[in-house]
Amino acid sequence: MSDRIHTLSGYFYEYQKSVAEPENFWARIADSFHWKKRWDKVLKWDFKGPNVQWFVNGKLNITENIFEKNLFAYGDRVALIWEPNDPNEESKKITYKELYHQVCQFSNALKSKGIVKGDRVIIYMPMIPEAAVAMLACARIGAIHSVVFAGFSSTALADRINDCEAKAILTSDGNFRGNKKIAVKAVVDEALEKSSVETVIVCQRTGQDIEMKSGRDYWWHEVLEGQEDHNVAEEMDSEDPLFILYTSGSTGQPKGVVHTTAGYMVYTKYSFENVFQYAPGDVYWCTADIGWITGHSYIVYGPLLAGATTVMFEGVPTYPDAGRFWQVVEKHQVNQFYTAPTAIRALQAYGTEPIEKYNLDSLKVLGSVGEPINEEAWRWYYTHIGQSRCPIVDTWWQTETGGILVSPIAGITPTKPAFATLPLPGIQLCIVDPEGNELTGNSVEGNLCVRFPWPSMIRTTWGDHERCKQTYFSTYKGMYFTGDGVKRDHDGYYRILGRVDDVINVSGHRMGTAEVENAINEHPLVIESAVVGYPHDIKGQGIYAYVICDMTHRTEENLVNEIKDTVSKIIGPIAKPDKIQIVQGLPKTRSGKIMRRILRKVAEGVTDNMGDTSTLLDPEVVNQIIEGRK
Ligand code: WTA
């Protein structure tokens, strides 16, 4: 491939070119795709609106770029290897040609149910090939998919259905997770009591008993009956939305990040090929769930656009035992392996024995994503999984960025533990102080911004453009603000320090503290709550909740358990607080603002030197909180 970086000097050369002539740089990359009509202008933008358009007036369909463009060249190549939850069940291999026919057939089925271009379709499914088929079938007919992680509760699902006014839901009868069966369809039914959706299509996975509402619910295999396995892909504009993905921010309601067609397509393929240095014939495996952006960009779209063989894994790292990942690596001869620091730390706790049973010689590149990787986990990953010979790509990016922005190029950029190293060509980073002054030069620390658009950036938040503007483009003038703190060291390398806003990162999942507080406050005996993150050995950050309650009717233990259940019910088990401390009061300023800085310190275990507490309304509250610390 011509736009592939092969050397370090090549990287620097491309980087310079991408800054000096961004439009030429991206036009050259975009030219390798199939366009029904080429664009008129590469880029139109202002960050004030914000209004960003890439490949203006171009017409295309992303699935044609996965399938039709390449079927002659490699139709018989394996596109997807599916590895089930239970190692005794057979894995599946699906070629590009087979996947193409499945996507066409299912997209015809969607059309037969009245789903048309622009309609929103929620995908609430386990990690089975049909989930990828569902996404691609939506893209094929121009329906906007919104995948909701299947661990979210019915309330969280209903919020998302309502926010995007979904017309259909694609789901399964149940999910396997380790040795458990999860009743997914029941969650959908409950969510639909609070929202209206015309069509539910249910894929059979576990075979468990479910209710099917006539006139609304259809079996997946039945809607496929009689559908042709080919069709003509819908013509989409470059800037037509491809999908919405909900993510947490510092306010209570998750926001629907909107990605559009052409820019997302160009950037995910470009970043996938370069970062992982994927070579034809390689087997690539990303362990994320398709409910998160990593699953969108680097299980489905990026790899498939690049003609890669991508592994999709239904299970969990520790079932049936802590060697499961390594068994799958050996079984499918995985070459690139991409996972999250929380999984690495969890497996590290089992020692090296589960690894020693398997041959990991196929591995060439290791990846990390989702949260800062601590040095110890990095070294363990490098030594025991990569056998001290595989480069680690520590990839920094966000739901909003669509693709990886900062990362080593595997085997080319010299790495340093815990550093995401350098921006990809095309990405113009900027570090600012809290007032928005740019910190130039090396050895600086501040907030991470991007000063120039890149093709896969967020375009808007669904139904509320102002929110997109306020959240990302208003803090610092003329820049996209990431919400992350960063350090640039003496070599110019970037090290991400974590969120500087009220977002916490629990096992690589983003959680707004306000969202968790809102859920806690739903418990009828809760008067007020404040949630902060604290360092957690495995999860990276844990959730620490300070709660004021009416204690007259319950014991503390009962209340704590009830509050945990409430959060689980309203958001999902991933948001359950790790620690709940019942308090008499919260440290507030005279103007009524909670001083989270103090709460964070107590949660971290600091018991003296609380910093400036002169603005506190009642300093005694702090002592009480320290005494009751969990
Ligand atoms: C964090 C996941 C450090 C960061 C792709 C970001 C990271 C948030 C890294 C986005 C990394 C992601 N090093 N921190 N390599 N990757 N993050 O939207 O705080 O789920 O803002 O996207 O995860 O999380 P999101």
Coordinates of all heavy atoms in Angstrom, one line a residue, residues 247 292-294 368-373 394-400 420 482-484 496-499 505 508-510, ligand 1:
T247 N -21.9 7.8 24.8 CA -20.8 7.8 25.7 C -21.0 8.7 26.9 O -21.8 9.7 26.7 CB -19.4 8.1 25.0 OG1 -18.4 7.8 25.9 CG2 -19.3 9.5 24.5
W292 N -18.5 -0.8 22.3 CA -17.6 0.3 22.5 C -17.0 0.7 21.2 O -17.0 0.0 20.2 CB -16.5 0.0 23.5 CG -17.0 -0.7 24.8 CD1 -16.7 -1.9 25.2 CD2 -17.9 -0.1 25.8 NE1 -17.3 -2.2 26.4 CE2 -18.0 -1.1 26.7 CE3 -18.5 1.1 25.9 CZ2 -18.9 -1.0 27.9 CZ3 -19.3 1.2 27.1 CH2 -19.5 0.2 28.0
I293 N -16.4 1.9 21.2 CA -15.9 2.4 19.9 C -14.7 1.5 19.4 O -14.6 1.4 18.2 CB -15.4 3.9 20.1 CG1 -15.0 4.5 18.7 CG2 -14.2 4.0 21.0 CD1 -16.2 4.8 17.8
T294 N -14.0 0.9 20.3 CA -12.8 0.1 19.9 C -13.4 -1.1 19.0 O -12.8 -1.4 18.0 CB -12.0 -0.4 21.1 OG1 -11.7 0.7 21.9 CG2 -10.8 -1.1 20.6
S368 N -2.5 -1.8 23.3 CA -3.2 -1.5 24.5 C -4.1 -0.3 24.3 O -3.8 0.6 23.5 CB -2.1 -1.1 25.5 OG -2.7 -0.6 26.7
V369 N -5.3 -0.3 24.9 CA -6.2 0.8 24.7 C -7.2 1.0 25.8 O -7.5 0.0 26.5 CB -7.1 0.6 23.4 CG1 -7.9 -0.7 23.5 CG2 -8.0 1.8 23.1
G370 N -7.7 2.2 26.0 CA -8.8 2.4 26.9 C -8.5 3.2 28.1 O -9.3 3.9 28.7
E371 N -7.2 3.1 28.6 CA -6.8 3.8 29.8 C -5.3 3.8 29.8 O -4.7 3.1 29.1 CB -7.4 3.1 31.0 CG -7.0 1.6 31.0 CD -7.4 0.8 32.2 OE1 -7.2 1.3 33.3 OE2 -7.9 -0.3 32.0
P372 N -4.8 4.7 30.7 CA -3.3 4.7 30.8 C -2.8 3.3 31.2 O -3.4 2.7 32.1 CB -3.0 5.7 31.9 CG -4.2 6.6 31.9 CD -5.4 5.7 31.6
I373 N -1.8 2.8 30.6 CA -1.2 1.5 31.0 C 0.0 1.8 32.0 O 0.9 2.6 31.6 CB -0.8 0.6 29.8 CG1 -0.2 -0.7 30.3 CG2 0.1 1.3 28.8 CD1 -0.1 -1.8 29.3
D394 N 0.7 1.5 22.4 CA -0.2 2.0 23.4 C -1.0 3.1 22.7 O -0.4 4.2 22.4 CB 0.7 2.6 24.5 CG -0.2 3.3 25.6 OD1 -1.4 3.3 25.5 OD2 0.5 3.8 26.6
T395 N -2.2 2.8 22.3 CA -3.0 3.7 21.4 C -3.9 4.6 22.2 O -4.8 4.1 22.9 CB -3.8 2.8 20.5 OG1 -4.8 2.1 21.2 CG2 -3.0 1.8 19.7
W396 N -3.7 5.9 22.1 CA -4.6 6.8 22.7 C -5.7 7.3 21.8 O -5.3 7.8 20.7 CB -3.9 8.0 23.3 CG -4.9 8.9 23.9 CD1 -5.4 8.9 25.2 CD2 -5.5 10.0 23.2 NE1 -6.3 9.9 25.3 CE2 -6.4 10.6 24.2 CE3 -5.4 10.6 22.0 CZ2 -7.2 11.7 23.8 CZ3 -6.2 11.7 21.6 CH2 -7.1 12.2 22.6
W397 N -6.9 7.2 22.2 CA -8.0 7.8 21.4 C -9.3 7.8 22.2 O -9.3 7.4 23.3 CB -8.1 7.1 20.0 CG -8.4 5.7 20.0 CD1 -7.5 4.7 20.5 CD2 -9.5 5.0 19.5 NE1 -8.1 3.5 20.3 CE2 -9.3 3.6 19.7 CE3 -10.7 5.4 18.9 CZ2 -10.3 2.7 19.3 CZ3 -11.6 4.5 18.5 CH2 -11.4 3.1 18.7
Q398 N -10.4 8.2 21.6 CA -11.7 8.3 22.3 C -12.8 8.0 21.3 O -12.7 8.0 20.1 CB -11.8 9.8 22.7 CG -10.7 10.4 23.4 CD -10.9 11.9 23.7 OE1 -11.0 12.7 22.8 NE2 -11.0 12.2 25.0
T399 N -14.0 7.8 21.9 CA -15.2 7.6 21.1 C -15.3 8.7 20.1 O -15.7 8.5 19.0 CB -16.4 7.6 22.1 OG1 -16.2 6.5 23.0 CG2 -17.7 7.3 21.3
E400 N -15.0 9.9 20.6 CA -15.2 11.1 19.8 C -14.2 11.2 18.7 O -14.4 11.9 17.7 CB -15.1 12.4 20.6 CG -16.2 12.6 21.7 CD -15.9 11.8 23.0 OE1 -15.0 10.9 23.0 OE2 -16.5 12.1 24.0
A420 N 2.2 6.9 25.0 CA 1.5 6.6 23.7 C 2.4 7.2 22.6 O 2.0 7.0 21.4 CB 0.1 7.3 23.7
T482 N -9.9 17.4 24.5 CA -10.1 16.0 24.8 C -10.6 15.6 26.1 O -11.2 14.5 26.3 CB -8.8 15.2 24.6 OG1 -7.9 15.7 25.6 CG2 -8.1 15.5 23.2
G483 N -10.4 16.5 27.1 CA -10.8 16.1 28.5 C -9.7 15.4 29.2 O -9.8 15.0 30.4
D484 N -8.5 15.1 28.5 CA -7.4 14.4 29.1 C -6.2 15.3 29.5 O -6.0 16.3 28.7 CB -6.9 13.3 28.1 CG -7.7 12.1 28.2 OD1 -8.1 11.7 29.3 OD2 -8.0 11.5 27.2
I496 N -0.2 10.1 28.4 CA -1.6 10.5 28.8 C -1.7 10.3 30.3 O -1.4 9.2 30.8 CB -2.7 9.7 28.1 CG1 -2.4 9.7 26.5 CG2 -4.1 10.2 28.4 CD1 -2.5 11.0 25.9
L497 N -2.2 11.3 31.0 CA -2.2 11.2 32.4 C -3.6 10.9 33.0 O -3.8 10.5 34.1 CB -1.8 12.5 33.1 CG -0.4 13.0 32.6 CD1 -0.1 14.4 33.1 CD2 0.7 12.0 33.2
G498 N -4.6 10.9 32.1 CA -6.0 10.6 32.5 C -6.9 11.8 32.5 O -6.5 12.9 32.1
R499 N -8.2 11.6 32.8 CA -9.2 12.6 32.6 C -8.9 13.8 33.6 O -8.6 13.6 34.8 CB -10.6 12.0 32.9 CG -10.9 10.8 32.0 CD -11.1 11.2 30.6 NE -12.2 12.1 30.4 CZ -12.7 12.4 29.2 NH1 -12.3 11.7 28.1 NH2 -13.6 13.3 29.0
N505 N -12.6 6.4 34.7 CA -12.3 5.4 33.7 C -12.2 4.1 34.5 O -11.2 3.8 35.1 CB -11.0 5.7 32.9 CG -10.9 4.8 31.7 OD1 -11.2 3.6 31.7 ND2 -10.3 5.4 30.7
G508 N -11.4 0.6 31.8 CA -11.4 1.1 30.4 C -12.8 1.6 30.0 O -13.0 1.9 28.8
H509 N -13.8 1.6 30.9 CA -15.1 2.1 30.5 C -15.3 3.5 31.1 O -15.1 3.7 32.3 CB -16.2 1.2 31.1 CG -16.1 -0.2 30.6 ND1 -15.8 -0.6 29.3 CD2 -16.2 -1.4 31.3 CE1 -15.8 -1.9 29.2 NE2 -16.0 -2.4 30.4
R510 N -15.7 4.3 30.3 CA -15.9 5.7 30.7 C -17.2 5.9 31.4 O -18.3 5.4 31.0 CB -16.0 6.6 29.4 CG -14.8 7.2 29.1 CD -14.9 7.7 27.7 NE -15.6 9.0 27.7 CZ -15.6 9.8 26.6 NH1 -14.9 9.4 25.6 NH2 -16.3 10.9 26.7
Ligands
WTA1 C1 -8.7 7.0 28.0 C2 -11.6 4.4 24.1 C3 -4.4 6.6 28.3 C4 -8.7 8.6 27.9 C5 -10.8 4.3 22.8 C6 -9.7 8.9 26.9 C7 -6.4 6.3 27.3 C8 -10.8 7.9 27.2 C9 -5.9 5.5 26.3 C10 -11.6 7.5 26.0 C11 -4.5 5.3 26.3 C12 -8.0 5.7 26.0 N1 -3.8 5.8 27.3 N2 -5.7 6.8 28.3 N3 -3.8 4.5 25.4 N4 -6.9 5.2 25.5 N5 -7.8 6.4 27.1 O1 -14.3 7.0 24.6 O2 -9.0 9.1 29.1 O3 -14.1 4.7 25.7 O4 -10.2 10.2 27.0 O5 -12.5 5.5 24.0 O6 -10.0 6.7 27.6 O7 -12.5 6.5 26.3 P1 -13.4 5.9 25.1

